[in-house]
């Protein structure tokens, strides 16, 4: 009985130390003791974030060979390469929590782990590449700038690095949209059509309303989230509406209206049925995205095996020297 009491006391002290660190705004590092629930919350969010970065390479990758100029192709290639790197940073940061890359990939392939809703929509033409860069990366920036102050050290540091590259992504997308809006009537129509198709799914990227979010209260309590889903969504709307107006695009929301009293835009209702349908796997491209990831993962097995064999060989050499 005494040992049990001692264990409980130690547990209490460790939990108190963790909470004091969180309250002080100190970073929690991999070697720190942390509640299992905190660790699991981060494993879930960080692995899904990493999956999103990698799956997000697919819709844009389809347009590398169709880019309208060499410059456009170079920019798109650089952006997609960045996204792959963001995935690697995030998988590596998630591994510090004690989950392996293989486990995370298996969760993605089994459907246990999600990735962002937005990547289940098709990129139909070049204007979509502009809309993805401007709206999707624009939304990601709003979310990720906030995540730079997340309480888990490795995640926060990954965000600082990723945000530096994300702003180039948003700007290149906006440049494509601005060029098309300064172009022919057909180009204007293409850009507006892309705006109409990508606006609402981009708002859904921030997650359900705070009142419907099962994770936000813990995330805010543990300072994993420094802003809630609705706060970040509002921030994105307020800055993007002005950007759209500058280049002559219309936001596809008849209820969008500046609210002087609140100092922000009121907007129409989001179609959460569509959100949950897409997140549940019934989006336009869910099956294609996952099938492609599984195919390429299998095709790349030999690279992973060769890298692992090389690592083991080097380790043996070091041990014998
Ligand atoms: N797509 C898919 N699932 C989503 C989602 C979305 N946009 N938003 C929420 N969900 C899921 C959550 O994962 C959770 O399901 P789970 O319990 O099975 O994980 C459920 O819906 C409830 O949502 P919550 O809001 O309660 O969940 P979170 O507290 O995790 O908040 C989040 C959701 C705001 C997306 C948060 O996870 C987050 O900030 N993640 C990090 C950012 C991220 O993942 N961004 C994805 C895009 S990356 C990107 O765009 C790359 C860019 O370079 C192109």
């Amino acid at each position: 009985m005494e040992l049990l009491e001692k264990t409980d006391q130690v547990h209490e002290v460790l939990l108190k130390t963790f909470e004091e660190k969180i309250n002080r705004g100190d970073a929690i590092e991999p070697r720190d003791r942390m509640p299992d629930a905190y660790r699991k919350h981060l494993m879930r969010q960080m692995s899904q974030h990493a999956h999103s970065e990698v799956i997000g390479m697919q819709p844009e990758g389809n347009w590398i060979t169709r880019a309208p100029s060499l410059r456009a192709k170079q920019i798109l290639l650089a952006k997609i390469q960045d996204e792959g790197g963001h995935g690697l940073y995030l998988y590596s940061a998630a591994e510090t929590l004690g989950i392996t890359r293989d486990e995370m990939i298996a969760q993605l392939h089994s459907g246990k782990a999600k990735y962002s809703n937005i990547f289940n929509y098709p990129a139909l033409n070049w204007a979509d590449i502009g809309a993805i860069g401007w709206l999707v990366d624009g939304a990601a920036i709003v979310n990720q700038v906030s995540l730079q102050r997340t309480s888990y050290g490795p995640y926060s540091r990954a965000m600082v690095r990723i945000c530096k590259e994300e702003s180039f992504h948003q700007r290149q997308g906006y440049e494509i949209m601005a060029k098309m809006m300064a172009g022919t009537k057909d180009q204007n129509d293409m850009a507006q059509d892309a705006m109409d198709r990508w606006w609402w799914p981009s708002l859904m990227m921030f997650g359900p309303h705070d009142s419907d979010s099962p994770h936000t209260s813990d995330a805010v309590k543990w300072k994993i989230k420094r802003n809630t889903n609705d706060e970040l969504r509002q921030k994105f709307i307020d800055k993007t509406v002005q950007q759209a107006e500058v280049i002559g695009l219309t936001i596809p929301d008849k209820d969008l209206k500046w609210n002087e009293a609140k100092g922000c835009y009121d907007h129409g209702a989001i179609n959460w049925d569509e959100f949950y349908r897409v997140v549940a796997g019934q989006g336009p491209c869910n099956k294609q995205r996952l099938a492609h990831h599984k195919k390429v993962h299998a095709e790349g097995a030999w690279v992973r095996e060769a890298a692992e064999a090389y690592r083991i060989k080097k380790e043996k050499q070091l041990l014998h020297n």
Side-chain angles (χ1 to χ4, degrees):
M1 195 50 189
E2 201 176 292
L3 180 65
L4 260 181
E5 274 165 16
K6 282 258 176 290
T7 318
D8 284 349
Q9 281 162 6
V10 168
H11 180 78
E12 283 307 310
V13 168
L14 290 172
L15 187 62
K16 195 162 171 300
T17 314
F18 168 80
E19 285 167 349
E20 282 164 0
K21 280 195 86 167
I22 291 283
N23 295 336
R24 280 198 307 269
D26 294 354
I28 303 297
E29 295 298 339
R31 65 182 176 285
D32 292 339
R33 297 295 291 268
M34 60 186 85
D36 280 348
Y38 177 82
R39 184 186 301 277
K40 286 199 184 87
H41 186 114
L42 283 164
M43 278 183 187
R44 175 190 61 82
Q45 175 166 331
M46 292 168 71
S47 58
Q48 294 184 158
H49 195 164
H51 297 329
S52 301
E53 298 278 4
V54 172
I55 296 264
M57 296 165 78
Q58 291 189 33
E60 293 174 310
N62 293 336
W63 282 88
I64 293 173
T65 54
R66 306 185 183 109
S69 71
L70 183 58
R71 176 180 180 272
K73 186 194 287 261
Q74 283 173 316
I75 292 172
L76 184 57
L77 273 169
K79 179 191 186 309
I80 295 169
Q81 186 182 319
D82 282 350
E83 306 299 9
H86 297 174
L88 293 182
Y89 301 149
L90 287 162
Y91 281 129
S92 304
E95 284 172 328
T96 64
L97 290 159
I99 185 171
T100 67
R101 191 77 55 94
D102 287 347
E103 284 169 324
M104 290 186 266
I105 300 299
Q107 288 174 354
L108 172 67
H109 287 175
S110 67
K112 183 169 179 281
K114 296 181 167 71
Y115 57 90
S116 189
N117 67 302
I118 197 74
F119 298 120
N120 290 307
Y121 293 85
L124 301 177
N125 54 52
W126 185 251
D128 285 44
I129 298 302
I132 290 172
W134 172 43
L135 297 175
V136 174
D137 287 71
I141 288 177
V142 170
N143 171 288
Q144 292 170 165
V145 162
S146 172
L147 277 173
Q148 288 180 124
R149 296 187 303 123
T150 191
S151 57
Y152 188 56
Y155 197 17
S156 161
R157 292 187 287 273
M159 283 297 102
V160 171
R161 173 76 188 267
I162 286 174
C163 284
K164 288 186 179 17
E165 293 167 344
E166 216 59 88
S167 39
F168 141 64
H169 300 173
Q170 194 259 4
R171 275 205 304 277
Q172 64 83 35
Y174 190 56
E175 182 192 71
I176 291 172
M177 298 302 264
K179 269 190 181 161
M180 294 191 83
M181 288 308 286
T184 63
K185 171 84 174 61
D186 284 350
Q187 287 173 324
N188 299 172
D189 294 347
M190 266 176 94
Q192 184 60 56
D193 169 60
M195 171 99 228
D196 294 349
R197 282 183 288 108
W198 288 93
W199 173 252
W200 292 103
S202 300
L203 299 193
M204 296 173 199
M205 281 176 70
F206 292 95
H209 285 309
D210 299 343
S211 50
D212 300 325
S213 159
H215 298 302
T216 289
S217 56
D218 277 349
V220 170
K221 178 180 74 177
W222 290 324
K223 296 186 180 172
I224 292 171
K225 278 185 187 176
R226 290 310 190 109
N227 301 95
T228 69
N229 298 358
D230 286 327
E231 287 169 357
L232 294 175
R233 192 179 354 258
Q234 189 63 59
K235 208 169 188 171
F236 169 71
I237 291 169
D238 293 344
K239 79 172 195 162
T240 310
V241 169
Q242 293 165 26
Q243 292 169 356
E245 281 168 359
V246 166
I247 57 175
L249 279 167
T250 306
I251 302 284
D253 177 358
K254 59 179 176 33
D255 299 322
L256 189 82
K257 192 167 173 300
W258 179 254
N259 183 321
E260 197 52 45
K262 288 190 335 190
C264 64
Y265 283 95
D266 289 334
H267 61 85
I270 294 172
N271 179 347
W272 293 113
D273 290 343
E274 175 184 336
F275 170 77
Y276 286 111
R277 194 175 55 247
V278 171
V279 170
Q282 273 83 50
C285 298
N286 295 58
K287 290 182 183 51
Q288 170 189 344
R289 299 288 184 246
L290 217 41
H292 182 79
H293 192 283
K294 287 177 180 171
K295 174 174 173 289
V296 171
H297 189 71
E299 288 168 356
W302 68 272
V303 177
R304 296 190 295 277
E305 285 152 18
E308 181 60 8
Y310 178 74
R311 185 188 67 79
I312 292 166
K313 183 173 163 246
K314 291 308 273 181
E315 231 169 52
K316 279 186 183 147
Q317 279 172 353
L318 285 172
L319 281 174
H320 292 139
N321 290 350

